[in-house]
Amino acid sequence: MKIKSDCIVSPEGFLLNPRSGESFSLNASAMDLFSLLKTEQTEESLLLYLQEMYDVDLPTLQADLSDFLFLLRYKELLDE
Amino acid sequence: MSRQLTIAVSGLNAIDNPGPGVSVLRSLRESSFKDARLVGLCYSPLEPGVYMKDLVDVCYEMPYPSEGADVLWNRLMYIHSKDPIDVIIPNFDSELHPYIKLQSRLRTELGIRLVIPTPEQFDMRQKSSLPELGEKAHIAVPSSKNYYSIDELLMEKEKMEYPLVVKGRYYEASIVYDKEQMYSAFHKISLSWGFPIIVQKYVSGTEYNLIGVGDGRGELLSAVSMRKMFITDKGKAWSGITIDDKPLMEVARRFVAATQWMGSFELELMKSNDGEYHLLEVNPRIPAWCYLATAAGQNIPELIVKMALEQEVLPYQSYQVGKLFIRYSWDMIVDYSDFGTFSVKSELSYDHEKVNAD
């Protein structure tokens, strides 16, 4: 999976879906994931990254990642 | 030496439902026609565009469109004798009827050119004809019915499922949630705009607008779409952002292909939660937010002037996505002498100021 190439994001993490005109504010961890998703990723590779970066238990990381990816899919921001 | 090109523009009012004229003039001042003589055609000395000296060289008061084509012709003859006009860009729906009527005569007798829809195209997009247009162009249009009297409406009152949108023939619309609101809106709008009153199914979703230009042969020469970000209580966009959604562009292409549209237009659409675009209205002219399209890379007033002058035009291919417009009001300070001159003489020229400045 990959973030759609036409998405526009400001340096502060304000994301625009250019097809709908919807805007989203990304927090620091979402910005990290967003940067990774500029190149092809899997759920496993993203989870591995989060495990290395954050001192949080695995079920919480999995749930947070799942929510984030659900939102990206729902808003049609992912290429899969 | 060739004469300076003269372009006349109407719609210089700027109330909470602003006319497009100021944005059109601003676009022209930033175009290859920036040195043209720009003439404002106004209906009142209180239209702010009259006093925008950087945008207009001269302004003339015009008769209201309801006075008919003959009165308009006489006024244009007078203006043309003082300021020979090459192109007129009319910016109000209500002006189009008399201009359509005079178009050929203006061209042959005065050499004035307009890029406006044909009478058939103008009628096809009337609110009361929109369902037929939707069918022809394969564009979703909310179902609607035209009512020519309150009695017709009363006969069907029990069948109505709310909410509904009550619309005037030319302007104004209200969302109504029960029959009391329906009667009130029906009366109010019919008093202002007459009949028919259009009662349309309400579609919930997000509002998008598209400004475009058709070449009169079914090709789309320009199109910029915008998501409304802030909407006034009159339903007008007060801020918006350019977007690029292929299905929305496809709606514009189908509209232009089905109507063979000539000139500028605006599509007003609602994107429902299932992702489908529903066409709510077609405005047969440049909209007030046209400067957003100019800033994003498609100068539609410039394109219209090029078409009028029969210069070669190529379809625009792209524009910047993510450009916003945020409208604001600004208290302009005006000399009483300018206000007085326009009020008394029905015209105001800034030529002397420009000569003095030189």
Side-chain angles (χ1 to χ4, degrees):
Chain A
M1 74 184 86
K2 221 171 139 180
I3 277 287
K4 286 195 171 165
S5 58
D6 58 358
C7 288
I8 299 168
V9 66
S10 76
E12 295 77 23
F14 204 62
L15 170 69
L16 171 71
N17 179 341
R19 280 154 277 112
S20 68
E22 280 179 291
S23 303
F24 310 92
S25 188
L26 303 177
N27 63 18
S29 51
M31 277 279 275
D32 284 349
L33 291 174
F34 188 85
S35 296
L36 286 174
L37 281 162
K38 286 178 181 167
T39 57
E40 191 66 38
Q41 299 291 331
T42 62
E43 272 196 60
E44 291 71 32
S45 67
L46 294 172
L47 194 59
L48 202 63
Y49 170 81
L50 291 173
Q51 277 182 293
E52 283 170 11
M53 293 298 293
Y54 297 96
D55 185 20
V56 178
D57 63 89
L58 187 61
T60 304
L61 284 179
Q62 281 172 322
D64 287 353
L65 179 61
S66 171
D67 284 352
F68 182 64
L69 292 176
F70 172 79
L71 202 63
L72 291 183
R73 288 187 181 108
Y74 180 67
K75 297 294 180 185
E76 299 177 350
L77 295 166
L78 270 187
D79 263 337
E80 295 184 277
Chain B
M1 203 176 86
S2 62
R3 185 174 61 80
Q4 184 185 24
L5 182 75
T6 300
I7 306 165
V9 174
S10 69
L12 273 60
N13 63 322
I15 49 169
D16 55 350
N17 179 11
V22 170
S23 295
V24 169
L25 291 165
R26 195 176 170 198
S27 298
L28 290 172
R29 279 283 182 246
E30 295 179 16
S31 74
S32 54
F33 302 113
K34 63 180 187 298
D35 296 324
R37 183 167 174 77
L38 298 184
V39 176
L41 306 177
C42 312
Y43 294 101
S44 155
L46 287 176
E47 289 186 22
V50 175
Y51 308 99
M52 294 182 177
K53 303 175 185 185
D54 294 339
L55 296 183
V56 287
D57 296 293
V58 59
C59 283
Y60 293 93
E61 192 168 11
M62 298 299 288
Y64 282 105
S66 55
E67 294 182 52
D70 291 342
V71 178
L72 175 63
W73 172 263
N74 290 337
R75 185 62 177 156
L76 288 173
M77 284 274 281
Y78 168 78
I79 295 169
H80 194 69
S81 71
K82 297 191 74 178
D83 266 300
I85 299 170
D86 298 290
V87 180
I88 298 177
I89 304 180
N91 287 310
F92 287 129
D93 299 19
S94 53
E95 292 176 334
L96 284 176
H97 259 307
Y99 276 115
I100 286 171
K101 215 167 168 182
L102 294 177
Q103 184 176 17
S104 156
R105 200 170 158 208
L106 282 168
R107 176 73 192 268
T108 52
E109 294 184 33
L110 302 181
I112 299 175
R113 298 153 189 252
L114 292 114
V115 178
I116 51 177
T118 65
E120 294 75 25
Q121 290 164 353
F122 184 84
D123 286 339
M124 279 169 86
R125 41 58 54 191
Q126 296 272 27
K127 289 178 199 173
S128 51
S129 308
L130 215 53
E132 292 80 42
L133 172 61
E135 210 166 294
K136 185 176 178 192
H138 305 289
I139 300 170
V141 173
S143 58
S144 66
K145 188 166 176 187
N146 304 330
Y147 291 91
Y148 292 85
S149 71
I150 187 76
D151 294 335
E152 272 184 52
L153 185 82
L154 287 170
M155 279 163 63
E156 298 190 0
K157 65 179 179 185
E158 302 306 331
K159 286 193 280 179
M160 290 186 169
E161 287 179 30
Y162 297 94
L164 291 163
V165 187
V166 183
K167 291 183 163 185
R169 186 176 174 186
Y170 294 115
Y171 298 104
E172 230 176 304
S174 287
I175 301 168
V176 296
Y177 295 89
D178 56 39
K179 63 182 176 190
E180 280 72 31
Q181 289 181 6
M182 161 72 91
Y183 297 153
S184 164
F186 193 96
H187 276 299
K188 183 171 172 281
I189 296 174
S190 63
L191 281 175
S192 300
W193 305 110
F195 292 100
I197 292 289
I198 298 103
V199 177
Q200 192 178 59
K201 185 185 168 192
Y202 175 74
V203 179
S204 66
T206 308
E207 289 187 51
Y208 292 84
N209 283 7
L210 183 144
I211 178 174
V213 176
D215 71 349
R217 294 183 297 274
E219 191 180 356
L220 187 63
L221 294 176
S222 170
V224 174
S225 51
M226 175 270 283
R227 176 193 170 114
K228 291 185 181 181
M229 296 179 80
F230 184 88
I231 301 171
T232 67
D233 56 0
K234 287 194 174 166
K236 304 297 162 189
W238 207 251
S239 62
I241 186 166
T242 54
I243 62 149
D244 179 18
D245 196 24
K246 288 183 175 56
L248 182 48
M249 285 294 158
E250 186 53 33
V251 170
R253 272 192 204 93
R254 284 191 212 152
F255 165 74
V256 167
T259 56
Q260 306 279 295
W261 193 264
M262 181 60 168
S264 54
F265 64 88
E266 181 195 31
L267 305 182
E268 295 188 20
L269 303 117
M270 186 73 83
K271 189 177 186 182
S272 53
N273 297 333
D274 61 2
E276 186 170 25
Y277 285 103
H278 300 261
L279 182 62
L280 304 180
E281 270 183 49
V282 180
N283 295 314
R285 46 149 180 89
I286 294 174
W289 59 275
C290 78
Y291 187 75
L292 176 66
T294 302
Q298 298 198 9
N299 191 325
I300 284 173
E302 179 183 39
L303 181 62
I304 292 295
V305 174
K306 283 184 176 174
M307 289 169 74
L309 299 175
E310 293 173 20
Q311 295 181 0
E312 188 190 5
V313 290
L314 294 171
Y316 277 112
Q317 298 296 334
S318 63
Y319 58 89
Q320 281 182 275
V321 174
K323 280 273 182 201
L324 280 86
F325 83 93
I326 300 172
R327 193 168 282 161
Y328 67 106
S329 59
W330 173 268
D331 297 344
M332 201 167 40
I333 304 303
V334 172
D335 283 336
Y336 185 72
S337 60
D338 286 346
F339 178 71
T341 301
F342 191 78
S343 299
V344 173
K345 295 175 72 179
S346 296
E347 56 191 79
L348 180 62
S349 163
Y350 296 112
D351 291 342
H352 62 288
E353 292 184 17
K354 283 174 185 160
V355 168
N356 291 342
D358 292 342

